[in-house]
Amino acid sequence: MAELTQNEKRLLAILEKEKKADAPHLAGLLGATPEAVVQWAHLAGDKGLVNVERVVAKEFVYTDEGKAYLQKGLPETQLLRFILPGTTLADLQKHEAFKIGFGQLRKKGFVKVEGTSVTKTPGASTVEDEASLREPSDANPRTKDLMKRGILQESETVRNAIAITPAGLALVKQGLDLRDESGTLSREQIISGEWKNANLRKYDVTKLPKKAYPGKIHPYQRIIGEMREILLEMGFTELYGGIVQQSYWNFDALFQPQDHPAREMQDTFYLRETLPLPKGYEKVKAMHECGGETSSTGWGGVWKEEKAEQCVLRTHTTSVSIQYLANNPNPPVKAFCVGRVYRRETIDTTHLAEFEQLEGIVMDENVSFGNLLGILREFYNRMGFESVRFKPSFYPYTEPSLDAEVYVDGIGWIEMGGAGVFREEVTAPIGINYPVLAWGLGVSRIAMLRLGLKDLRLLHKSDVAFLRETPSLRHNKGGI
Amino acid sequence: MAVITLPYKYLERLTRTDRKTILDKVALIGSDVERIEEDHADVEFFPDRPDLFSPEGVARAMRGYLGIETGLSSYPVKSSGIKFTVDPALANIRPVLGAAVIRGVSFDDESIQSIMSLQESLHWAVGRGRSKVAIGIHDMDTVKPPFHYIASRPSRGFIPLDFKEKMTMTEILDKHPKGRDYAKIVRDFPLYPLIVDDDDHVLSFPPIINGERTRVTIDTKNILLDTTGTDKRAVSVAVNIICTAMAEAGAKIESVEIGGVQTPTLAPAERMVSVKECSRLLGIELTAASMAELLRKMRFGAEPAGADKVKVQVPCYRADIMHDWDLFEDVAIAYGYDRLESQPPKTFTVGKPHPVQVNAALAREAFCGLGYLEVMPFTLTNEDVLYKKMQRDEKKGVLHVMHPISIENTVVRTELLPLLLEFLTLNRHRELPQRLFTVGDVVDSCLTYQQAAGVSTHPDADFSEAYASSDAMLHELSIDYTVKESADAAFIEGRRGDIIVAGKKIGVFGEIHPAVLNAFELEHSVAAFEFDLRAVPGYPVL
């Protein structure tokens, strides 16, 4: 049996003598409110120690109108008293009770109007009506009539009769500890040793108090953090760069032709700002126009400086990696970047105009396409995806290119990201003489799978309840 | 992306094998199978391979990949004896012309559909929406050579395809559906491109519409192909892809004379590539012989030329082969990505987090310690949220995107606090207290840097809470600061402070102004603060 509270014990002790009593009566004896007594009785009732009997009593009460009639008589009674031989209708109309009373008299057939004179009919009497006003009863149809007239109202009163059960009685017989309970252990009690006599309140361990919510990082940030940690463990240097980039670094340095559809206004957020081109841009220009000094043919046509100067919200973090490579041309380079990127997409449940991209690059003597596959396999394995496969793909700035797919139980093969070796058209103009392995993946895709979200927007416009309830530690099975 | 319809019967006849064998392997040459239907499959190919935008092209590639027929497909071309003149006045309008005569075609509804969709896919992938390349095909037997590509007055008229009445070219741009779609390519020129035959009958008004007169039907036996544009290489690629696809379907290709040159030749280009370079790039051991064999599987002509060299003949339809590595990718595809040995590189390196992220993580840790919950709002927002509701003036360095998707996303955030208040609005129905924080990028003109912001809302949230929380955050991040009375209208006067570091304002804290609460439809007071993380000692300068 769950522990009794001090109040339940006091109630039982009183009931031992009273056996059965109303809550107000017990409240008087216990020095508490009847509501509190009922609450204690229910607690004890849950344990089978008392019975709480709810007695509902019906009662008639008078409305303000009814109260007035109690004193003065019903309007019809007042009028009846007023009618004397020779009373005219005009006299009667002056009476304050005329409006209501006259109708009632006519309805009951107690008056007769002849010309201007009003007379009582023989035997006219409101005695019974007055009686039903003073002593209303359910059975009396006149009472019902008075209720309809808004003179009387019915009201329910609830009374709680509390009785001790044999089990309760037995418990009291065993003896109750009626010492004062204390909720908190005071400093005084602790240092004085008084705690030895203190009767600390015992709590019901099955009842959770008001919930506490810890401050914590966003579940999506936690997934980003996990990926960062994996890459740091794998020996990668983290990069950070601006979200505003020159077209030159976002597109041109990556050998994206100036008339490429991805560069159009429909796909990219352009800004009015421009930035001057970096030193050595002529090499990129030559690469686009004729392939520079490589075996490439280039794109042909004329490469325009103005187009490259225009700023955009970066469409990929590759704009950050390529600048890092340009500044760090000596091998080995192993670097990664997680950051927000922007595409001019119509926002819906699976498309956002801004999302996180994770990207890695490796530049070294003698690294190969096979090594790229190895890095990806290792990364996805560490993320918990056991089966990884690769298939040919196309990206404008890599050759060869691939897409990586992972196997998720219950879903099947899911495309996770693209990768490839930077084209020589990309690396040669910035003075890189070794292959650069590059790969990227959409972080939100994994987050959506892991967090079971149906709508990507919830990552950024989150319900606080979702954030509070998502535990920091989640058991990922097979990567999700 | 180009999704190509592959009718099974036609594909099986051209590939000379069954549909299952083809569909099982088609993804391995670089494609995504979108739909498998009763009589056809829809397969998506990458934009760098327009030669695969037809069943004929796919069959040619698959015959190689499956080992049914390898090596170079050669396409003999004989001269048609027909001339095509080009008006010099087109030099600044649409100067480049490509053409060919295709004889002995036998069309049915399916193959006409196939050539039309190849044309449309090429317009998209190579032609950049017809501005760079536009293709027209005509029933050769309705017109009289030689042909003339001229610059004509816009008032000249002819009956355009799908119409019964003669229309001027100006009218076509205004009224014909295709005219309206592509008018912008030619509208501003004084003269418009036009192709006519020797009797002055109009064949085509490129890049807009053909004439009704030369409509291709299932009875058409001989075709005149015209391809006009602004880029010589792109025009030639389009001609080559169409001619070789038609040749695969059984037609004979004949050249025409343009400016004294016979075109097309459909001849392969040559490249000499290094076996060692390819082996190194892919991470596999190759010999000249094995590499040549793999290339032949991808329909290149390839012969060993010494131990380290392979002489490659690149078919005229392979527009994507710009560089030796483009060939190496084909070697990898022929070899099979699943057979490549996947080993991470062996070089030893040490991982290093970026200081900006290290600081952000420290800020997150301190916020969590104070009981704040992290949120990650969007970085695109609007002036109403950032400034108007906050009773603040628009910041000088705010970036407006030029073509926003909606009025909700017009600028990049310059502060975080307004977005946190927006978050509180979103979560009004959730239990209080709510304490939220965010750490992230903001921009000032082209410069990106990070700020940190926190809000706390509950009936007792006040200035003291804002002050104490921001003090705790700044202390944890070793930011040595002073405070002075703030004038920030987002906060209540007398309950707001500016955070000063080295004489410069780096942040603000206080009790949010009730008018701001009203603007965000919030019902409880909010204690808030935000500061610039560049104030952290030793913070990296970007």
Side-chain angles (χ1 to χ4, degrees):
Chain A
M1 188 192 296
E3 280 294 331
L4 291 177
T5 64
Q6 180 74 1
N7 288 325
E8 286 169 79
K9 289 178 198 166
R10 288 172 58 214
L11 175 66
L12 286 171
I14 293 285
L15 281 172
E16 188 196 5
K17 294 178 210 103
E18 301 282 327
K19 302 292 186 268
K20 180 172 180 173
D22 280 0
H25 175 69
L26 293 170
L29 294 173
L30 288 162
T33 63
E35 291 75 23
V37 171
V38 172
Q39 198 191 343
W40 305 339
H42 280 297
L43 285 172
D46 289 345
K47 302 174 184 101
L49 302 172
V50 300
N51 275 324
V52 185
E53 194 187 338
R54 205 177 125 95
V55 185
V56 180
K58 243 190 228 167
E59 201 178 67
F60 291 100
V61 293
Y62 297 95
T63 62
D64 287 345
E65 194 184 348
K67 280 177 196 155
Y69 298 158
L70 268 180
Q71 309 235 320
K72 294 187 197 164
L74 290 163
E76 55 267 37
T77 312
Q78 293 178 42
L79 288 185
L80 217 52
R81 280 191 215 122
F82 185 76
I83 298 170
L84 298 168
T87 302
T88 65
L89 187 61
D91 293 336
L92 200 60
Q93 275 168 343
K94 285 177 196 139
H95 196 284
E96 58 164 13
F98 177 81
K99 265 192 182 153
I100 301 167
F102 194 65
Q104 290 293 329
L105 290 176
R106 294 279 290 247
K107 200 169 127 196
K108 291 173 176 149
F110 289 176
V111 288
K112 212 158 79 186
V113 182
E114 280 167 332
T116 59
S117 80
V118 184
T119 51
K120 296 183 207 175
T121 54
S125 164
T126 57
V127 172
E128 284 182 50
D129 294 300
E130 289 295 331
S132 68
L133 175 67
R134 272 158 239 294
E135 277 170 45
S137 123
D138 256 345
N140 189 344
R142 285 173 203 270
T143 301
K144 287 226 171 77
D145 194 42
L146 292 177
M147 282 168 67
K148 267 189 216 153
R149 287 172 65 182
I151 294 168
L152 278 177
Q153 275 177 347
E154 216 170 15
S155 115
E156 279 187 356
T157 53
V158 177
R159 203 164 61 86
N160 284 291
I162 301 164
I164 194 159
T165 63
L169 219 45
L171 191 72
V172 178
K173 292 256 151 59
Q174 282 171 31
L176 292 169
D177 181 357
L178 287 170
R179 279 177 304 160
D180 266 352
E181 253 187 2
S182 52
T184 47
L185 193 54
S186 69
R187 176 175 179 272
E188 204 50 41
Q189 285 172 317
I190 295 168
I191 57 178
S192 66
E194 204 189 301
W195 59 265
K196 289 173 195 150
N197 305 314
N199 184 24
L200 286 177
R201 179 179 305 142
K202 292 174 176 157
Y203 292 98
D204 181 352
V205 295
T206 64
K207 297 227 160 52
L208 183 69
K210 183 174 154 49
K211 282 191 106 166
Y213 298 108
K216 55 185 174 178
I217 66 169
H218 195 290
Y220 185 39
Q221 183 63 43
R222 210 170 271 287
I223 292 171
I224 293 172
E226 183 187 337
M227 294 182 180
R228 286 183 64 236
E229 252 166 59
I230 290 174
L231 288 162
L232 291 170
E233 283 168 11
M234 286 170 70
F236 284 77
T237 297
E238 184 172 31
L239 309 180
Y240 174 80
I243 57 183
V244 180
Q245 295 286 346
Q246 219 177 4
S247 290
Y248 178 82
W249 288 116
N250 195 73
F251 297 122
D252 296 285
L254 295 165
F255 198 54
Q256 200 121 322
Q258 290 196 324
D259 66 350
H260 194 279
R263 295 184 69 153
E264 281 172 21
M265 299 291 181
Q266 295 96 288
D267 294 308
T268 298
F269 287 114
Y270 279 89
L271 303 166
R272 283 184 190 85
E273 285 67 15
T274 58
L275 286 171
L277 294 176
K279 259 195 199 148
Y281 79 87
E282 297 84 358
K283 288 186 177 167
V284 169
K285 180 181 167 77
M287 184 57 75
H288 277 252
E289 290 179 347
C290 64
E293 289 155 18
T294 66
S295 70
S296 176
T297 58
W299 294 113
V302 179
W303 186 86
K304 295 195 179 101
E305 279 81 353
E306 318 82 84
K307 276 204 97 156
E309 284 168 356
Q310 198 170 10
C311 287
V312 299
L313 296 183
R314 67 184 179 202
T315 62
H316 43 202
T317 46
T318 321
S319 49
V320 176
S321 327
I322 190 73
Q323 286 175 76
Y324 182 76
L325 279 174
N327 295 326
N328 296 274
N330 298 320
V333 168
K334 267 169 80 178
F336 77 97
C337 181
V338 193
R340 200 146 303 175
V341 300
Y342 301 80
R343 304 275 166 90
R344 204 176 163 282
E345 294 222 44
T346 306
I347 300 169
D348 61 28
T349 55
T350 55
H351 295 91
L352 298 180
E354 47 177 307
F355 51 93
E356 264 69 27
Q357 192 187 37
L358 182 148
E359 171 174 289
I361 49 166
V362 175
M363 186 262 284
D364 201 0
E365 296 175 54
N366 298 322
V367 287
S368 69
F369 190 58
N371 291 142
L372 175 61
L373 270 53
I375 292 167
L376 288 170
R377 196 176 290 285
E378 180 68 29
F379 175 78
Y380 285 113
N381 284 167
R382 288 187 187 215
M383 282 298 294
F385 301 106
E386 282 166 20
S387 306
V388 186
R389 71 177 186 188
F390 307 104
K391 58 174 208 167
S393 188
F394 167 71
Y395 296 96
Y397 43 92
T398 56
E399 192 78 19
S401 307
L402 68 88
D403 281 332
E405 295 182 328
V406 300
Y407 191 80
V408 176
D409 270 342
I411 301 179
W413 290 99
I414 299 178
E415 200 172 304
M416 275 294 167
V421 186
F422 273 169
R423 299 184 69 97
E424 202 186 354
E425 289 95 329
V426 175
T427 54
I430 55 166
I432 303 289
N433 301 316
Y434 302 103
V436 179
L437 315 178
W439 44 275
L441 74 116
V443 182
S444 56
R445 183 145 219 187
I446 294 184
M448 208 172 170
L449 286 170
R450 281 212 180 161
L451 299 172
L453 294 179
K454 299 232 157 33
D455 187 341
L456 263 181
R457 286 171 289 200
L458 296 178
L459 291 176
H460 303 287
K461 292 207 165 196
S462 317
D463 186 338
V464 163
F466 160 74
L467 298 178
R468 283 173 171 166
E469 276 149 31
T470 304
S472 302
L473 175 68
R474 295 183 63 263
H475 289 285
N476 304 322
K477 248 197 205 157
I480 64 166
Chain B
M1 291 285 152
V3 177
I4 309 302
T5 296
L6 301 173
Y8 297 138
K9 274 197 190 141
Y10 189 46
L11 185 68
E12 286 176 336
R13 179 156 62 80
L14 290 170
T15 315
R16 306 201 289 272
T17 185
D18 62 287
R19 68 192 71 172
K20 190 176 177 305
T21 310
I22 301 168
L23 290 178
D24 279 355
K25 300 275 186 197
V26 73
L28 300 182
I29 62 166
S31 69
D32 280 316
V33 179
E34 297 274 307
R35 271 176 300 275
I36 303 265
E37 301 287 351
E38 186 75 7
D39 59 343
H40 72 274
D42 292 328
V43 181
E44 182 184 324
F45 291 94
F46 298 114
D48 65 325
R49 290 295 304 273
D51 60 298
L52 297 175
F53 292 176
S54 67
E56 294 85 359
V58 173
R60 175 175 55 206
M62 289 311 293
R63 287 201 303 273
Y65 193 75
L66 296 169
I68 296 164
E69 176 191 286
T70 62
L72 191 73
S73 272
S74 50
Y75 302 100
V77 180
K78 73 171 200 196
S79 170
S80 64
I82 293 171
K83 281 190 184 171
F84 217 132
T85 66
V86 178
D87 187 343
L90 286 160
N92 292 316
I93 302 172
R94 199 171 176 82
V96 185
L97 172 73
V101 173
I102 303 166
R103 291 204 186 272
V105 298
S106 57
F107 278 132
D108 52 24
D109 290 341
E110 223 162 45
S111 50
I112 284 201
Q113 195 49 50
S114 154
I115 183 88
M116 297 296 170
S117 54
L118 170 60
Q119 210 180 322
E120 280 317 305
S121 303
L122 290 174
H123 279 153
W124 169 78
V126 183
R128 300 279 189 255
R130 300 197 187 184
S131 63
K132 207 170 171 184
V133 176
I135 302 156
I137 59 170
H138 311 276
D139 189 329
M140 175 85 183
D141 302 321
T142 61
V143 282
K144 188 180 151 199
F147 304 106
H148 310 283
Y149 180 34
I150 59 171
S152 165
R153 284 169 294 104
S155 57
R156 176 157 182 186
F158 68 99
I159 304 173
L161 208 56
D162 299 328
F163 273 65
K164 292 200 168 65
E165 308 290 320
K166 196 165 170 176
M167 292 165 87
T168 67
M169 290 195 273
T170 310
E171 283 170 341
I172 290 172
L173 295 190
D174 289 333
K175 291 178 193 150
H176 197 285
K178 295 286 176 202
R180 285 200 293 265
D181 287 353
Y182 299 104
K184 66 172 196 298
I185 304 173
V186 291
R187 172 89 77 194
D188 295 338
F189 293 113
L191 299 175
Y192 293 167
L194 196 70
I195 295 174
V196 294
D197 75 353
D198 213 38
D199 290 337
D200 216 24
H201 290 128
V202 173
L203 278 72
S204 171
F205 167 22
I208 312 295
I209 190 77
N210 282 355
E212 179 64 30
R213 182 186 182 86
T214 58
R215 175 190 279 278
V216 172
T217 68
I218 52 171
D219 301 321
T220 300
K221 295 286 167 262
N222 301 303
I223 283 179
L224 175 72
L225 169 73
D226 83 69
T227 308
T228 61
T230 54
D231 183 283
K232 213 167 171 175
R233 185 155 59 174
V235 166
S236 141
V237 159
V239 170
N240 293 345
I241 287 173
I242 293 202
C243 287
T244 57
M246 296 299 285
E248 289 287 338
K252 298 272 176 284
I253 312 299
E254 294 178 4
S255 62
V256 296
E257 189 188 318
I258 301 173
V261 179
Q262 286 294 323
T263 172
T265 66
L266 305 186
E270 273 190 18
R271 262 180 194 271
M272 193 69 92
V273 293
S274 157
V275 180
K276 218 184 285 164
E277 194 186 343
C278 182
S279 301
R280 252 209 320 261
L281 180 68
L282 301 181
I284 49 177
E285 287 298 319
L286 292 167
T287 62
S290 65
M291 183 169 158
E293 194 186 331
L294 291 168
L295 283 165
R296 285 196 296 271
K297 198 170 152 184
M298 301 305 283
R299 304 312 308 264
F300 295 96
E303 292 303 330
D308 183 46
K309 294 283 177 198
V310 173
K311 192 170 106 179
V312 186
Q313 289 176 296
V314 180
C316 63
Y317 54 80
R318 284 299 298 266
D320 61 312
I321 307 295
M322 300 171 66
H323 185 276
D324 293 352
W325 287 15
D326 294 306
L327 289 170
F328 300 164
E329 179 178 68
D330 274 65
V331 172
I333 291 171
Y335 186 83
Y337 280 19
D338 51 340
R339 286 178 57 217
L340 289 169
E341 199 187 336
S342 54
Q343 286 293 329
K346 295 203 165 45
T347 313
F348 175 79
T349 51
V350 173
K352 204 174 97 199
H354 195 278
V356 164
Q357 305 291 17
V358 173
N359 279 309
L362 284 172
R364 283 190 187 100
E365 188 185 318
F367 267 122
C368 291
L370 290 170
Y372 281 67
L373 187 64
E374 186 178 28
V375 295
M376 300 172 78
F378 286 119
T379 57
L380 289 172
T381 177
N382 56 70
E383 297 93 326
D384 190 44
V385 171
L386 274 190
Y387 308 114
K388 212 172 138 208
K389 285 183 172 170
M390 295 295 283
Q391 311 195 99
R392 286 172 169 170
D393 294 332
E394 185 165 313
K395 210 170 168 180
K396 243 179 77 195
V398 67
L399 291 178
H400 295 261
V401 301
M402 282 169 70
H403 304 275
I405 323 169
S406 72
I407 53 164
E408 302 286 303
N409 306 287
T410 51
V411 299
V412 189
R413 66 190 185 191
T414 51
E415 276 89 24
L416 304 173
L417 196 49
L419 303 169
L420 289 181
L421 292 176
E422 207 179 22
F423 240 95
L424 292 179
T425 309
L426 200 68
N427 283 285
R428 266 178 312 194
H429 56 300
R430 294 298 177 201
E431 202 176 314
L432 297 181
Q434 284 178 23
R435 293 192 173 86
L436 307 179
F437 81 92
T438 188
V439 177
D441 291 346
V442 296
V443 299
D444 180 2
S445 194
C446 293
L447 183 71
T448 304
Y449 59 97
Q450 295 210 318
Q451 300 221 130
V455 289
S456 170
T457 187
H458 53 98
D460 303 321
D462 62 4
F463 173 77
S464 304
E465 184 182 349
Y467 199 162
S469 302
S470 45
D471 171 70
M473 287 300 304
L474 294 160
H475 177 75
E476 288 304 317
L477 295 169
S478 286
I479 298 174
D480 197 5
Y481 73 101
T482 56
V483 172
K484 74 172 205 216
E485 181 94 15
S486 174
D488 190 333
F491 299 89
I492 300 170
E493 197 187 337
R495 299 185 181 194
R496 56 193 180 188
D498 282 344
I499 303 165
I500 310 291
V501 172
K504 223 182 109 208
K505 176 181 173 181
I506 63 116
V508 63
F509 64 85
E511 205 176 313
I512 295 291
H513 197 283
V516 175
L517 297 179
N518 288 158
F520 281 96
E521 296 173 44
L522 295 172
E523 292 167 6
H524 295 283
S525 58
V526 175
F529 60 97
E530 172 158 11
F531 61 93
D532 187 337
L533 283 167
R534 288 177 297 179
V536 174
Y539 200 83
V541 182
L542 270 199

